[in-house]
Amino acid sequence: MKRNKASSIILLAVSILSGTSAYSGGFSLKGTTWERAAASAACKPDPLLLYSLALQESGHAVKRGFVAPHPYALRNAPSGAHYPETLDDAKSALQRYIAEDRLTDIGIMQINYRWNAHRVKDPHELLNMEVNIRVAADILCESIRSNPVDLQLAIGGYHTMNPRRNVQARAYAQSVLKIWRSLKRLNAGA
């Protein structure tokens, strides 16, 4: 039975987040938004690393036992996490989230509006998966440039570049690296 890319990504996410490697269908991001964003970024990050960040940032249950990154995820301190089902719902909720707190994370890569609003003309652009992943790739490249000899801090810098929060950055990076290693093992089977 041939699987489509969407079902492969969901199965992959379950396998990765559960720490198993039972998924044998192989996995590839060839020709996807992830590959295009990585290729256009200054540092040319591994598309699998970008996808790992997405799983860490917006991974949520899509049905019993299955998780995947969510294209319209929103999160801030006052309202918490929200996973709108449609783009229109996301646009409406985004207005409220930003009005509550500019420290709102937007979209599949959870781009923080306070720190990254300058990267787009309108916050609604970050609900476009292509734009969101491209911005994420740029942020990751900036973090890699800031920490070129420390992979953990380079990846952790995607979460926070505050040097007083290096412990949190490293913990974040460890989670992302675990996902990334699992993705690479699965990708080898593609």
Side-chain angles (χ1 to χ4, degrees):
M1 177 171 106
K2 188 170 170 106
R3 288 188 177 107
N4 66 31
K5 280 198 189 250
S7 65
S8 294
I9 289 171
I10 291 170
L11 289 172
L12 169 73
V14 171
S15 177
I16 290 166
L17 294 176
S18 67
T20 69
S21 57
Y23 178 69
S24 60
F27 179 73
S28 173
L29 294 173
K30 200 143 202 65
T32 66
T33 300
W34 310 96
E35 185 179 60
R36 288 188 300 276
S40 68
C43 67
K44 311 288 186 242
D46 183 349
L48 295 172
L49 176 55
L50 289 174
Y51 190 77
S52 300
L53 288 166
L55 284 172
Q56 179 69 30
E57 290 290 336
S58 69
H60 80 294
V62 291
K63 63 182 185 179
R64 186 176 171 192
F66 294 90
V67 295
H70 193 286
Y72 307 129
L74 299 171
R75 180 176 293 118
N76 68 17
S79 292
H82 178 52
Y83 301 96
E85 291 190 26
T86 68
L87 178 57
D88 286 339
D89 291 344
K91 286 178 178 179
S92 175
L94 179 57
Q95 292 298 109
R96 179 175 47 86
Y97 267 66
I98 291 174
E100 289 174 343
D101 189 350
R102 287 181 54 84
L103 279 171
T104 290
D105 297 327
I106 304 169
I108 197 162
M109 302 298 288
Q110 292 290 272
I111 305 299
N112 187 275
Y113 184 67
R114 176 179 178 197
W115 300 111
N116 297 290
H118 66 281
R119 299 176 189 272
V120 292
K121 292 178 181 160
D122 181 300
H124 293 96
E125 290 179 61
L126 293 171
L127 294 171
N128 176 307
M129 200 167 88
E130 293 260 350
V131 172
N132 196 282
I133 297 169
R134 179 187 46 76
V135 169
D138 291 344
I139 294 166
L140 179 62
C141 288
E142 289 168 12
S143 183
I144 290 169
R145 271 194 308 277
S146 295
N147 299 289
V149 295
D150 189 332
L151 181 63
Q152 246 189 13
L153 277 182
I155 293 171
Y158 182 84
H159 177 65
T160 179
M161 287 200 211
N162 183 339
R164 294 182 304 230
R165 296 187 61 205
N166 279 354
V167 170
Q168 292 96 333
R170 287 184 185 283
Y172 174 88
Q174 287 173 353
S175 294
V176 172
L177 286 166
K178 181 179 177 184
I179 296 168
W180 190 25
R181 283 189 292 271
S182 295
L183 279 171
K184 289 174 95 156
R185 281 194 304 272
L186 290 171
N187 192 42

